Amino acid sequence: MAKTEQAHSNFGTSRILAVAAISICLTGCAGFIPLDAPDAAATHTHAALITEPSAPLAYALMPVNPAVLQATNALTDSSGLIFSHLPGGNYRDVTIGVGDIVTVTVYEAQAGGLFIPREAGVRPGNFVDIPRQQVDQSGNINIPYAGSVKVSGLTPRAVSNIIRERLKDRAIDPQIVVSVAEQRGNQISVLGEVNSPQRFPIDPGGIRLMSAIARAGGPKYPSYESTITIKREGRTYNESMSSVVHHPSEDVLLAPGDVVFLTRIPRVYMAFGSTPSPGSIGGTNNRRFTFENDNMSLAEALAKAGGLDGGRADSKNIYVYRFEPKPLLQQVGIDASQFPTISVPAVYKFDMSKPDGWFQADTFRMRDHDVISVAESPSTEFIKLMAPLDAASTNASNISSVVVNSK
């Protein structure tokens, strides 16, 4: 009888220890395990005010088909296209600017006029050179017998006509030649991530953006990592260099005073979910990856992130998150009227369990700051749930065996 009571006592003790072991495994034994930051319970407990949770963000889920793929790729290809709409473009004739050094030569038809003496032997030729002048802050130069002449913003030919009109009643059939000896006002600057930053005057026929960058030694980094900023008339305009390369209309003529600045801004995307763990792919210890070409596809992006995890990934549910304009959704037959904003959160869904999904992934063009999410298979969730329970039951069994054996 005593042995039976002892057995029951041992069984009860084992059960208590097993329950305690399971509780410890499931709860993490809060307060005993150190934390590197406050947990959710501590954050909520010490809050002075807790607001109501916001409503879930509305988004459009779009399984990818040929129509959706064509629409989003067309928008990706047409992104940018800003420089061709710059105000003050189409600049071809170089005008005289403040600070320029100007030369003026006056010709007369015969001696005895305003500038040429009657004695033919006194000087050769029938012209006189006006001393070189710098255009003042008011944009003027001074010409004998013509007075102050406004030249800033005018072409040399236009200035010649103005001076001729003022001298025609005093000189003998005057002909005027105006030229710019040194351009100091009509210059552009190319700075930033170029090999030879410099400031130089605009050519007489004008100069285009890519030619100006070439004169500055070209970009230091690939076009898909370079962003061009043009500062004109107190405003700035930005566009990727890749867009300028692929769209000739964006290679605009520059205007006097333009500042061109190149900046290295690599385009990136993020990959989460059932992809290989960070650090397992080439030592890259993050989930943020850079583009390696102008047009990176989803298949290339997944390959760079290590592909799909064969033990966890659900190849039927691959998602790409980005914002899209309403017209794109309407173009593919989605009612976007319920979205109050111009840009709509959009989620593209790919089924890569079938061959056509792989073709679509290799055609789908990524954009800067796209987010890729690879869903986990349902079996993975079940395995995750069972793992701690299995560990807890194993620990409880081990503890029970130790207690029984110790008796």
Side-chain angles (χ1 to χ4, degrees):
M1 186 69 179
K3 291 184 179 180
T4 303
E5 291 178 357
Q6 183 178 3
H8 281 292
S9 176
N10 291 340
F11 177 76
T13 303
S14 301
R15 183 168 57 181
I16 292 172
L17 292 173
V19 171
I22 294 174
S23 300
I24 290 172
C25 293
L26 293 179
T27 62
C29 200
F32 292 93
I33 300 176
L35 301 174
D36 59 359
D39 59 12
T43 302
H44 281 261
T45 300
H46 296 87
L49 175 65
I50 300 178
T51 62
E52 291 296 325
S54 59
L57 178 66
Y59 60 89
L61 178 61
M62 298 186 291
V64 173
N65 56 46
V68 170
L69 191 63
Q70 181 179 4
T72 186
N73 281 345
L75 182 61
T76 302
D77 292 340
S78 63
S79 60
L81 305 183
I82 296 173
F83 290 164
S84 58
H85 303 291
L86 284 179
N90 298 323
Y91 182 86
R92 294 185 179 276
D93 293 326
V94 177
T95 59
I96 299 173
V98 174
D100 287 352
I101 305 298
V102 178
T103 63
V104 179
T105 302
V106 180
Y107 290 82
E108 287 193 277
Q110 62 185 29
L114 183 62
F115 294 96
I116 308 301
R118 292 184 179 275
E119 297 80 8
V122 174
R123 53 167 287 126
N126 60 338
F127 64 89
V128 62
D129 289 323
I130 307 298
R132 300 200 317 175
Q133 299 181 62
Q134 185 173 24
V135 181
D136 62 23
Q137 289 295 325
S138 300
N140 300 326
I141 60 172
N142 292 308
I143 302 297
Y145 306 107
S148 180
V149 180
K150 182 77 172 182
V151 299
S152 178
L154 301 177
T155 62
R157 182 184 298 274
V159 175
S160 299
N161 293 333
I162 293 173
I163 297 175
R164 181 178 182 278
E165 285 296 317
R166 294 191 183 185
L167 295 178
K168 66 179 182 179
D169 294 333
R170 306 186 67 177
I172 302 175
D173 191 16
Q175 302 296 316
I176 314 299
V177 176
V178 177
S179 61
V180 179
E182 296 181 25
Q183 283 189 343
R184 299 181 181 179
N186 292 327
Q187 294 189 332
I188 59 174
S189 301
V190 183
L191 309 170
E193 299 295 346
V194 292
N195 290 300
S196 300
Q198 58 180 291
R199 187 169 185 258
F200 50 84
I202 295 181
D203 297 332
I207 186 170
R208 293 191 176 274
L209 173 62
M210 297 301 285
S211 298
I213 294 174
R215 185 177 291 187
K220 289 184 178 180
Y221 300 98
S223 61
Y224 57 85
E225 290 188 351
S226 300
T227 296
I228 302 174
T229 300
I230 296 179
K231 180 180 179 181
R232 176 179 294 177
E233 297 178 357
R235 300 187 63 182
T236 57
Y237 307 86
N238 302 298
E239 189 170 335
S240 70
M241 191 171 186
S242 292
S243 179
V244 178
V245 171
H246 293 297
H247 299 92
S249 62
E250 299 303 293
D251 187 17
V252 294
L253 286 163
L254 296 177
D258 279 356
V259 176
V260 179
F261 197 93
L262 268 68
T263 309
R264 185 190 184 194
I265 306 179
R267 293 184 295 164
V268 300
Y269 68 92
M270 284 69 72
F272 300 96
S274 299
T275 58
S277 300
S280 61
I281 305 300
T284 303
N285 193 24
N286 58 44
R287 292 190 175 276
R288 181 176 180 270
F289 302 90
T290 59
F291 282 55
E292 293 183 345
N293 50 42
D294 287 335
N295 297 309
M296 177 173 276
S297 68
L298 173 59
E300 290 177 299
L302 285 171
K304 187 171 183 180
L308 307 183
D309 189 329
R312 299 187 299 131
D314 181 4
S315 59
K316 293 183 179 181
N317 294 284
I318 314 296
Y319 303 100
V320 176
Y321 293 75
R322 67 167 58 146
F323 285 89
E324 296 285 18
K326 281 185 179 180
L328 184 142
L329 273 66
Q330 295 168 349
Q331 181 180 345
V332 297
I334 297 176
D335 182 11
S337 59
Q338 62 177 305
F339 297 99
T341 57
I342 298 176
S343 296
V344 177
V347 182
Y348 293 91
K349 178 179 179 293
F350 293 82
D351 182 357
M352 297 181 69
S353 66
K354 301 177 182 178
D356 58 347
W358 288 89
F359 285 110
Q360 291 172 347
D362 194 38
T363 307
F364 183 87
R365 297 198 180 108
M366 298 289 291
R367 296 184 201 159
D368 187 27
H369 280 80
D370 276 352
V371 177
I372 301 172
S373 176
V374 180
E376 289 188 338
S377 63
S379 61
T380 302
E381 295 296 326
F382 179 74
I383 293 172
K384 285 183 178 180
L385 175 64
M386 295 303 297
L389 296 177
D390 183 63
S393 62
T394 301
N395 290 338
S397 177
N398 292 337
I399 294 172
S400 179
S401 299
V402 171
V403 173
V404 171
N405 293 335
S406 67
K407 296 295 184 180

